[in-house]
Amino acid sequence: MVKQMGAASFRQRKKRAIFWQSFFFVIVILLAAYVLLQSPLFLIKKIDVRGNSLLTAGEISGISGITPGINIFKADLAQSAARIKTLPLVKEVNITRRYPDTVLITVRERIPVALVSVDGNFVELDSSGYYLRQGKAGAAGLPVLTGLTLQSAGPGQQLKGQGLDTALAVVQKLPAELCADLSEVHVTGDGCVTLYTLDKVECRLGLPKELDTKGSYILQVLKDLREKNAQIEYVDFSIISSPVVKYK
């Protein structure tokens, strides 16, 4: 009987000890949280934006809602990332805390590859056809895609329409040097493609096949003819084995 009472008393003392240990632990956690949330050491002093070239750091940090002076633990990074993703030029974003006082925002931008006319305005598109922002023909160094039937869309939306996928595929598969020399990429109703250079040379590709090879040939022909100061009306690589050069 005495042993049972002693065992019960021991269990009670052990329970009380565990209770007070747990209570003390909770108090320590609360005090630590209070210090972290109130300490000036953890106030945001710097917002570091990386990966941007088309957008300014101010545009990105401004829309994020994160401002210097707020506690770094109170910043809602998920909400900030969602805000930044509303920028049409932003494809991906990652935000991390760099203790004690810095927030790092890393973005991956959508890169404009061409211009199209939408509702009477020229707009920049990326390789997937996303409407990025309004542009101006000739000012951005991007070819204008023509001959397309496009559905109306707004910034941040993916454009759809007849001929668009073909035109974008041509821009991506042609040599970059040739694309930089283009003013226009025209797609006809039957899917044939014609390029126009900045100096108004017409380059007929026919169906968009073997674009790497056709593009390389066109570059070489244009280079040779320009060196000779020849006046070209068009070059035709519709049949790659039988290219045609028409002089003015």
Side-chain angles (χ1 to χ4, degrees):
M1 185 70 174
V2 174
K3 289 183 179 180
Q4 291 178 350
M5 292 178 62
S9 177
F10 173 77
R11 286 195 296 269
Q12 289 177 351
R13 289 196 301 271
K14 186 176 181 180
K15 287 180 179 179
R16 285 197 296 269
I18 293 173
F19 170 80
W20 286 111
Q21 288 176 357
S22 300
F23 180 78
F24 179 74
F25 180 75
V26 170
I27 293 298
V28 169
I29 293 297
L30 292 175
L31 286 173
Y34 177 81
V35 170
L36 292 176
L37 293 175
Q38 299 300 322
S39 172
L41 178 66
F42 293 101
L43 297 182
I44 296 173
K45 295 179 182 177
K46 182 180 179 182
I47 302 172
D48 188 3
V49 179
R50 299 181 185 178
N52 60 305
S53 60
L54 302 173
L55 292 166
T56 67
E59 288 174 312
I60 295 171
S61 61
I63 199 172
S64 73
I66 301 173
T67 56
I70 67 173
N71 187 279
I72 196 169
F73 295 102
K74 293 181 180 180
D76 190 333
L77 304 191
Q79 186 180 76
S80 296
R83 288 176 176 173
I84 294 172
K85 281 294 293 288
T86 63
L87 294 171
L89 281 165
V90 174
K91 185 174 185 178
E92 297 174 2
V93 59
N94 182 56
I95 308 179
T96 56
R97 297 178 176 90
R98 293 290 178 88
Y99 301 111
D101 58 9
T102 300
V103 172
L104 174 62
I105 301 175
T106 304
V107 298
R108 181 183 173 196
E109 294 176 326
R110 297 184 184 276
I111 305 301
V113 298
L115 294 167
V116 294
S117 179
V118 178
D119 299 329
N121 297 307
F122 282 112
V123 301
E124 296 178 359
L125 300 185
D126 75 347
S127 59
S128 298
Y130 279 91
Y131 181 139
L132 303 182
R133 60 186 177 184
Q134 289 192 10
K136 185 177 180 181
L142 303 173
V144 178
L145 310 183
T146 61
L148 315 177
T149 303
L150 298 176
Q151 301 173 8
S152 181
Q157 297 178 335
Q158 189 175 25
L159 268 72
K160 301 291 183 180
Q162 182 178 353
L164 179 59
D165 289 345
T166 297
L168 288 173
V170 168
V171 170
Q172 293 176 75
K173 292 179 181 178
L174 286 175
E177 183 181 353
L178 179 57
C179 281
D181 193 28
L182 298 180
S183 63
E184 181 182 348
V185 176
H186 182 79
V187 181
T188 62
D190 59 0
C192 290
V193 178
T194 301
L195 313 177
Y196 295 89
T197 67
L198 294 172
D199 52 359
K200 300 181 181 179
V201 176
E202 180 181 333
C203 306
R204 302 174 184 176
L205 296 183
L207 293 174
K209 299 178 180 179
E210 301 177 282
L211 291 173
D212 290 340
T213 303
K214 289 180 179 180
S216 297
Y217 283 168
I218 290 174
L219 275 174
Q220 188 59 50
V221 168
L222 292 176
K223 180 180 178 181
D224 292 343
L225 294 175
R226 285 168 178 168
E227 287 177 352
K228 298 174 183 177
N229 202 26
Q231 297 296 310
I232 315 166
E233 184 174 333
Y234 68 82
V235 294
D236 191 334
F237 278 89
S238 299
I239 302 175
I240 198 168
S241 60
S242 304
V244 175
V245 179
K246 177 70 164 58
Y247 294 91
K248 290 184 179 179

